[in-house]
Amino acid sequence: TKAKSNRTEIALPQDIGESAFHKAIEELRGHLGKEHVELVTKLDDGWYMENPNTHDGMHVVEEDSLVASAIVYPSSTEEVQKIVQWANKYRIPISPISIGRNYGYGAAAPRVRGAVVIDLGRRMNRILDINPDDCTCLVEPGVTYFALYEEIQARNYKHLWIDVPDIGGGSVLGNACDRGVGYTPYGDHWMIHSGMEIVLPTGEVIRTGMGALPGNNSWQLFPYGFGPTPDGLFSQSNLGIATKMGFGLMPNPGGYESYLYVFPKDEDLSQLIEIIRPLRIAMILENVAQLRHISMQVAVEGKPRSAYYNGKGRVPDHIIHEAAKKLSSGDCSWLYYGMAYGPPEIRKYKLDIIHKEFMKIPGARRIDPNTLSVDDYFWSRDRIASGVPDIEELRWVNWHPNGGHVAFSPVSPVRGADATALWDISRKYCQKFDLDLFPIFCVGLREMHLIVEIVFNRDDPVMRNNVRACIRAMIDDAAKLGYGEYRTHLAFMDQIAGTYNWNDNALMKFNEKIKDCLDPNGIMAPGKSGLWPARYRGRGWEM
Ligand code: ADP
């Protein structure tokens, strides 16, 4: 469903009058061409593949609160520089997006109302290089996983894979900047990057790593170059705009095989996590391990909650289990989706160990893929874990009409006790705030993120308030036990940044010094990741 609202008034940035703003916009149009600067006069939530660049199409706050005043479409690094210089001249906040499909985290919305969104993706969408020998690529912000995948097929590079996140419409560069993950052995997108080109908040351009050496031929091969390596400052940050980024590409491993194990009881969680840890660290489990709760498996069928239950509060467990009986996986509590890579004899070695370990859980079952129909969700996970972009995962957003989602995503050791503590916090607050929860434990290598997805009806303000209160309570409780989130929605960035406060907020003080030095006018995405420039600090912008 689409919700549309027409606006007559433009959301002006702070500290600038209407006529001064329009004059500034005319000047920007002079630099970029009239058609490449649009004022935001209507909000259309669209859907994933037709995502708005004006606001968050899955807004967990009022639709109107985090909106852009205008959108600009640069075509080159030089034009990005011009926009940044313009923003400094008028002290207008700017907010870069690549594609703006960052659903669950704020999508295209700026953190401050009235910022000018720089939509890099529309015109800066070239694949600058795919090197079939070194297995690397260099891309602009607008290159999606779909586009990179298709180009590799078009060039017939059968020996090259890409790595994709759960939903493949995002930007390869944007997802890495936000430290997103995927599901092949190259799933840590930040780790596998090599080389960035960055436009700084004052308009200069730098290249990191080997890119700083003119004439180099190893920008995508050695990420560090020489001296301090600043790349980290440009991830989850508001210290620069990435205009190019390089990545390693995984060689086709010569075969792959998905597997699915299911486990009967909620209480199996602790033992399961203990089994997973050594296997994952030793890379017997080769990709990000996904342990999903049955509630999510029911939801990914794509039917609305009302097909199962119409009462208030969480859908009772017995109803979820009743619905689960009709699924191809049958009734269970946890599902482990994994993939083994390599030729058959290599896979067999690992699969035998995995089978022996998982079957230690009483009542564990391996689902035979041959019994599953072609449209089973299993094959979506199979595509994702073999680097084929997909969008099936979105089906669970249909749980509520006008569905939106946000997540609580704490990081912890891969230990049964930690999994249980986080699972308890999640259930406690979802119960309290009448919300269904869809938990997934994602094991990176030595740590795991628990991702608790919460779906809400974005046209229901009571439910939205409950979602925000629930996430806030979970963040605070988790922090008391020493758990912090790896990534979050715009609405929770201040709170989460506030939990990383060791030694009297030493890290935030350090970040603020860098921010004020690099961005003296405070124009670049103010407030992103809880980092505010001096001009905004202590003025009630935090939420
Ligand atoms: P997706 O790739 O999922 O569509 P976005 O384009 O919305 O995601 O990017 C996610 C977030 O990453 C943005 O909100 C922004 O903060 C940051 N980001 C994206 N692209 C860039 C970029 N080119 N330079 C700096 N930060 C970026």
Side-chain angles (χ1 to χ4, degrees):
T1 31
K2 291 195 175 192
K4 287 190 194 190
S5 68
N6 286 312
R7 314 166 50 81
T8 42
E9 270 178 43
I10 289 158
L12 292 177
Q14 68 153 4
D15 294 343
I16 186 163
E18 194 167 349
S19 63
F21 176 74
H22 285 286
K23 219 175 123 248
I25 288 288
E26 281 316 307
E27 184 181 316
L28 189 59
R29 285 184 164 149
H31 291 312
L32 266 81
K34 205 172 163 28
E35 65 280 27
H36 302 309
V37 183
E38 286 170 359
L39 291 170
V40 176
T41 52
K42 70 174 196 306
L43 301 180
D44 177 354
D45 287 350
W47 73 291
Y48 183 75
M49 293 309 282
E50 290 166 35
N51 64 302
N53 55 11
T54 48
H55 68 296
D56 182 358
M58 288 193 174
H59 47 95
V60 70
V61 292
E62 286 295 308
E63 184 191 49
D64 200 36
S65 74
L66 302 177
V67 292
S69 54
I71 317 292
V72 292
Y73 302 97
S75 68
S76 64
T77 301
E78 292 70 27
E79 287 194 352
V80 175
Q81 291 177 273
K82 277 191 194 146
I83 297 166
V84 168
Q85 284 152 0
W86 168 87
N88 276 289
K89 181 171 169 192
Y90 293 100
R91 309 278 195 277
I92 290 177
I94 49 179
S95 181
I97 59 164
S98 287
I99 299 289
R101 288 198 181 118
N102 199 22
Y103 277 13
Y105 302 112
R111 174 61 181 80
V112 295
R113 190 165 198 274
V116 171
V117 162
I118 307 179
D119 183 334
L120 296 144
R122 183 172 297 184
R123 298 170 74 207
M124 295 175 70
N125 54 16
R126 289 174 305 163
I127 297 170
L128 299 168
D129 187 37
I130 299 174
N131 188 314
D133 303 319
D134 298 331
C135 302
T136 58
C137 68
L138 179 67
V139 295
E140 289 189 329
V143 177
T144 63
Y145 295 100
F146 280 108
L148 184 59
Y149 177 80
E150 278 156 23
E151 183 61 20
I152 286 174
Q153 309 318 306
R155 293 192 197 180
N156 210 20
Y157 290 153
K158 301 244 183 284
H159 70 294
L160 287 185
W161 276 22
I162 67 167
D163 184 278
V164 298
D166 292 281
I167 316 173
S171 152
V172 175
L173 176 155
N175 182 284
C177 280
D178 231 32
R179 300 203 290 266
V181 300
Y183 296 92
T184 73
Y186 277 33
D188 185 338
H189 296 163
W190 181 255
M191 185 179 79
I192 211 70
H193 97 272
S194 184
M196 302 177 90
E197 181 183 86
I198 303 283
V199 175
L200 296 173
T202 40
E204 301 91 334
V205 190
I206 60 168
R207 289 188 176 179
T208 68
M210 298 307 292
L213 196 149
N216 83 87
N217 58 3
S218 45
W219 196 17
Q220 273 61 71
L221 305 179
F222 183 61
Y224 310 123
F226 184 76
T229 179
D231 293 43
L233 292 177
F234 304 111
S235 77
Q236 290 191 359
S237 96
N238 51 10
L239 300 170
I241 300 176
T243 44
K244 293 181 180 65
M245 200 163 168
F247 295 93
L249 296 170
M250 183 170 136
N252 182 337
Y256 60 91
E257 186 172 344
S258 280
Y259 51 90
L260 169 60
Y261 284 84
V262 302
F263 308 93
K265 299 199 303 280
D266 277 3
E267 299 74 48
D268 294 332
L269 176 65
S270 181
Q271 189 186 352
L272 258 169
I273 294 289
E274 292 291 322
I275 288 174
I276 289 169
R277 182 185 57 250
L279 295 180
R280 181 71 185 104
I281 294 177
M283 295 203 218
I284 299 294
L285 299 171
E286 292 166 272
N287 59 344
V288 165
Q290 269 233 356
L291 188 63
R292 297 163 78 98
H293 191 254
I294 188 65
S295 54
M296 190 156 213
Q297 192 74 8
V298 170
V300 87
E301 287 291 290
K303 286 189 217 145
R305 177 184 188 273
S306 57
Y308 306 100
Y309 187 64
N310 275 307
K312 205 171 128 54
R314 269 179 60 202
V315 176
D317 289 343
H318 74 268
I319 292 188
I320 294 290
H321 285 292
E322 201 52 45
K325 284 182 189 158
K326 301 194 187 84
L327 304 181
S328 55
S329 49
D331 188 22
C332 61
S333 277
W334 298 102
L335 301 96
Y336 186 101
Y337 284 95
M339 183 175 273
Y341 299 86
E345 62 278 17
I346 304 273
R347 298 202 301 263
K348 184 172 185 318
Y349 173 77
K350 292 173 282 197
L351 288 168
D352 285 350
I353 297 174
I354 293 164
H355 187 74
K356 192 170 125 267
E357 289 298 314
F358 278 161
M359 293 308 281
K360 286 180 180 166
I361 307 267
R365 289 182 288 125
R366 177 180 170 275
I367 305 294
D368 179 359
N370 296 315
T371 65
L372 302 174
S373 67
V374 288
D375 58 354
D376 196 280
Y377 175 71
F378 178 90
W379 300 113
S380 170
R381 294 252 57 101
D382 183 72
R383 285 189 287 278
I384 292 166
S386 57
V388 182
D390 198 76
I391 59 168
E392 294 291 307
E393 184 72 15
L394 283 172
R395 292 196 303 209
W396 49 257
V397 184
N398 294 329
W399 192 245
H400 284 292
N402 296 309
H405 66 101
V406 283
F408 165 62
S409 325
V411 173
S412 82
V414 191
R415 295 207 196 107
D418 295 289
T420 307
L422 290 167
W423 170 237
D424 286 347
I425 290 174
S426 320
R427 266 186 316 185
K428 174 176 156 190
Y429 286 107
C430 288
Q431 187 75 37
K432 176 171 175 190
F433 290 102
D434 294 336
L435 298 165
D436 294 311
L437 70 163
F438 302 137
I440 317 168
F441 287 92
C442 295
V443 182
L445 196 58
R446 285 178 174 74
E447 58 72 45
M448 63 188 177
H449 314 345
L450 162 62
I451 314 273
V452 179
E453 290 285 3
I454 300 181
V455 178
F456 56 90
N457 178 344
R458 61 180 191 269
D459 291 341
D460 179 341
V462 175
M463 193 183 285
R464 281 202 324 246
N465 283 346
N466 278 342
V467 170
R468 294 201 306 276
C470 180
I471 299 246
R472 291 203 184 283
M474 293 194 289
I475 292 167
D476 278 346
D477 262 28
K480 280 183 204 134
L481 298 176
Y483 304 112
E485 278 62 34
Y486 94 104
R487 190 180 180 191
T488 197
H489 188 278
L490 292 169
F492 311 110
M493 286 176 175
D494 292 313
Q495 187 188 359
I496 289 173
T499 64
Y500 285 79
N501 59 10
W502 179 79
N503 192 17
D504 196 19
N505 285 307
L507 180 62
M508 183 52 85
K509 288 177 187 166
F510 171 82
N511 285 337
E512 285 175 349
K513 261 189 212 161
I514 294 175
K515 178 70 177 165
D516 293 342
C517 169
L518 292 182
D519 185 9
N521 293 320
I523 49 105
M524 184 76 75
K528 162 94 182 166
S529 297
L531 180 52
W532 293 95
R535 213 150 67 83
Y536 289 75
R537 285 204 284 275
R539 292 204 184 176
W541 282 93
E542 293 85 357
M543 61 180 182

